[in-house]
Structures are given as C-alpha cells and as structure tokens.
Amino acid sequence: HQSASPPRSGARRAAMNLTQLIILSFLSVCSIFLHIFACAIYDNWWPMLVLLAYISLPVPLLMYAILKGSSGDRGGLHWAEFATAFFFSNVLGIPFLLHHVDMIGTGSLVLSLFGTLFALASVSLHIYFSGSAADIYNVLMGDTA
C-alpha cells in the first residue's frame, strides 16, 4: 500500500495562483456589476461616468513609470503625478458630485461607491499577490537600490 505523496511545490503554487486569480476575477466582476446595477436599477446611466475615469487612469501611471527612470526634465513627471491624482479623485468624486446635483439618488451613490471599493480591493490584492508592493513603494519614494 503506497501512501499518496503530498503535492509538489509547483502544483501547490499553481493552485494558489488559480485561487488568487479567482479572487481577483470575482472582485473585478462584482465591481463592474455594482456599477451597472447602480445605473440599471434606477434607470439612470450617469454613474457610468466613473468608468471613464477607470479607463483613463492607467495612462498617466504609464507615463509616470516611463518618465521615472529618465534623468532629464522633471516637468513631465510632475504632470504625470498630477494627472494620476486627478483621475483617481474623479473615481471617488464623480458619484458624490452627481448625487449633490441630484442627478443620481442615494442608492446609486452607495452602489457606485461599493463598486469603486471592490475595484480598489482588486487592484490592491493584485499588488499584494504579485509581491510587487515593495517595488511600487521603492518607485514612488525614489529608492532605486
């Protein structure tokens, strides 16, 4: 009688990666669902403006990553930082602005904010799972060593 051998580290790592992928996919799908639900349940599609900020947010982040390594003019780097902060604040600010001018109700505001929370949780967990949190911190703080 031969006992079952424990799973190899590669198979175990693949299973953990699959679990992480399922978690990240679930959070992303919940985020998109909550944004669409915030629009559909009240028949008001204004909360979809948040998705424009989601789409445009990676552009200044990529610009920041490209310009961070250059030793030239720092003006482009500062514009990339400004644009990143601008788009990120829009992700949180658009639902509050739309609620303030009575274009969406409180229910849409709450659902949209929960959708944003799920999206932020998905991105944060992706950074944590990939192990690049220290790398991102070093890039943001200017430590290259």
Side-chain angles (χ1 to χ4, degrees), residues 2 5 15 23 26 29 33 36-38 45 52 58 64 72-73 85 100 109 112 114 126:
Q2 198 175 33
S5 62
I23 291 169
F26 176 75
V29 167
F33 170 76
I36 293 173
F37 193 59
W45 295 94
L52 292 176
Y64 183 84
D73 184 28
H100 179 71
L109 170 70
S112 183
F114 273 114
H126 173 68

Side-chain angles (χ1 to χ4, degrees), residues 53-133:
Y54 283 163
I55 292 169
S56 57
L57 189 58
V59 174
L61 289 173
L62 290 173
M63 192 169 78
Y64 183 84
I66 291 169
L67 294 174
K68 185 67 176 175
S70 68
S71 60
D73 184 28
R74 312 260 317 156
L77 186 64
H78 295 304
W79 275 107
E81 292 169 346
F82 170 77
T84 301
F86 174 77
F87 288 124
F88 184 74
S89 62
N90 278 340
V91 167
L92 294 175
I94 288 172
F96 284 110
L97 177 69
L98 291 173
H99 183 262
H100 179 71
V101 296
D102 293 326
M103 293 185 81
I104 63 172
T106 305
S108 289
L109 170 70
V110 170
L111 287 172
S112 183
L113 290 176
F114 273 114
T116 300
L117 180 70
F118 274 80
L120 291 175
S122 177
V123 170
S124 300
L125 281 176
H126 173 68
I127 291 169
Y128 176 75
F129 288 155
S130 67
S132 61

